[in-house]
Amino acid sequence: MSGKRKAKNSTEQTRPATSGGLGRFDAMVAWWLSPMERSAIAPVRGLLGLMAALYFIDALTDVSFWFGVDGVHSSRNVAEFLQISGLGDAASVSISPLFLTDAIWVYQVYCFVAIVLSVMLMAGRGGWSVGVAVWLAVVFWANRLMWLAGLTETLLSLTLFATCFAPAWKWTLTKANASGPVSAEPGAAETMAASSVATGLAIRLAAVQTSLIVVATWLSMLAGTVWWNGTGSIALAAPESVRTLALVDRMQNPLVYETITLWIFLAAPVGLWLSWGRGHVGKTRRIGVALLMAWAMTLAVLGSHWIYGGVLVSGFLAIAMGVRSMAGPQGHSDLGD
């Protein structure tokens, strides 16, 4: 009897080290730093590479209009506008080598090289150096655009930054990574070599920041009257002059546009809750990620924000892989599949 009491007392003495606030902090650190298979970054980087390539292909078509000596956004016009508006100091943080020249061919070569690097990123070639190069290409281009840059450039650059430092991966590692926990079997060395803390950190960072962007987007909806009176989807689909698909005429029925507005308003928070909610596992998490992806595609179709929607989906892929391995209070996975 006394032995049991001693064991109980010993357990109570050691419990504070792994419970409460400190235990939760340790669990969070363990979640951020737990390694993941290098090939897990493949779908996230692949889709990001595709979106970056499409972004620069689209930019290449407008180079002669915006840039050049006589372009609308030439260095001279930008400098004059900044001087008149008194925004010179604020613009000093917009660093880009493209400010050094107005030669159109330089912008065209820049876009072409960025497209090649993006395709390499999509194909999983070049490792982290290609990821960093594509990220810098987007940042420098967005800085050169200045006030022309929008949500797409912000989301694309943030997600590229989150994933660019993950180590190189190859499709040939997938079979080795398919095995279970590392053991003394002959393939254990290959499995261990295919795992990386940086990969896990990159995927989870992309998952967290994408979720925060969704939260910020939803909170901004709360401040808009169109999302309360049911016309939010109409506002998103107009004006048609800059849309790939003209859908306003097909959304004149109040039941249609109010239903779509309600879907957009509710899908984001419900999807995040199902994806991140403590105790939600397996099928529940997959439903949550599917809702988020459908939400992103709705925004893309209605507003023709195709690249923005695609980058969001890449972040949701990171959620699907990163959240499922969340470490519990004892450092093991108690929230995953």
Side-chain angles (χ1 to χ4, degrees):
M1 188 71 176
S2 60
K4 293 182 178 179
R5 185 177 294 108
K6 290 181 179 179
K8 182 179 180 180
N9 293 337
S10 176
T11 301
E12 291 177 350
Q13 291 175 358
T14 58
R15 185 174 298 168
T18 58
S19 62
L22 182 59
R24 286 190 291 270
F25 175 78
D26 292 340
M28 183 58 65
V29 172
W31 179 66
W32 279 102
L33 299 182
S34 58
M36 293 184 68
E37 298 171 357
R38 292 186 180 185
S39 62
I41 200 71
V44 180
R45 268 185 173 168
L47 186 54
L48 276 177
L50 175 61
M51 292 300 104
L54 293 176
Y55 174 80
F56 282 109
I57 289 174
D58 180 67
L60 187 60
T61 62
D62 296 329
V63 164
S64 59
F65 175 79
W66 291 109
F67 305 108
V69 178
D70 299 322
V72 176
H73 208 60
S74 65
S75 299
R76 181 185 61 187
N77 291 340
V78 170
E80 291 178 354
F81 174 82
L82 294 176
Q83 183 177 5
I84 295 174
S85 60
L87 298 176
D89 294 337
S92 61
V93 297
S94 297
I95 301 173
S96 174
L98 293 173
F99 280 116
L100 300 176
T101 180
D102 280 324
I104 294 180
W105 70 269
V106 173
Y107 291 83
Q108 293 172 333
V109 171
Y110 184 96
C111 288
F112 179 77
V113 172
I115 292 170
V116 173
L117 290 172
S118 299
V119 172
M120 291 178 62
L121 182 69
M122 180 176 60
R125 296 294 180 265
W128 67 267
S129 59
V130 171
V132 172
V134 176
W135 168 61
L136 288 176
V138 172
V139 170
F140 289 150
W141 188 264
N143 286 346
R144 179 61 180 87
L145 290 176
M146 299 191 71
W147 57 83
L148 296 179
L151 294 176
T152 298
E153 287 80 7
T154 301
L155 180 61
L156 182 58
S157 62
L158 285 174
T159 312
L160 283 169
F161 174 79
T163 59
C164 68
F165 296 105
W169 57 270
K170 296 181 180 179
W171 291 103
T172 53
L173 288 176
T174 304
K175 291 184 178 179
N177 294 342
S179 59
V182 178
S183 63
E185 298 298 328
E190 289 80 357
T191 302
M192 183 178 296
S195 298
S196 166
V197 171
T199 299
L201 182 62
I203 289 176
R204 294 177 182 104
L205 180 57
V208 169
Q209 69 179 20
T210 302
S211 299
L212 292 177
I213 289 173
V214 174
V215 171
T217 302
W218 186 74
L219 290 177
S220 68
M221 290 180 179
L222 294 178
T225 57
V226 294
W227 298 104
W228 294 100
N229 61 23
T231 61
S233 58
I234 293 291
L236 185 62
E240 295 184 27
S241 58
V242 294
R243 300 293 183 242
T244 305
L245 302 174
L247 300 175
V248 174
D249 292 339
R250 302 180 183 181
M251 297 170 57
Q252 297 302 313
N253 189 324
L255 180 61
V256 174
Y257 65 73
E258 289 180 0
T259 300
I260 298 176
T261 299
L262 182 63
W263 153 257
I264 296 174
F265 189 76
L266 294 180
V270 173
L272 286 177
W273 176 67
L274 293 176
S275 300
W276 287 94
R278 186 173 181 83
H280 294 170
V281 298
K283 187 177 181 180
T284 302
R285 289 199 187 282
R286 289 192 289 271
I287 292 175
V289 173
L291 281 176
L292 291 173
M293 290 183 176
W295 175 78
M297 288 299 96
T298 303
L299 298 182
V301 171
L302 285 181
S304 294
H305 303 308
W306 303 105
I307 297 177
Y308 182 80
V311 178
L312 277 177
V313 170
S314 70
F316 298 151
L317 288 174
I319 293 176
M321 291 179 291
V323 179
R324 68 184 181 189
S325 57
M326 181 177 290
Q330 304 302 325
H332 60 273
S333 178
D334 68 348
L335 297 178
D337 296 334

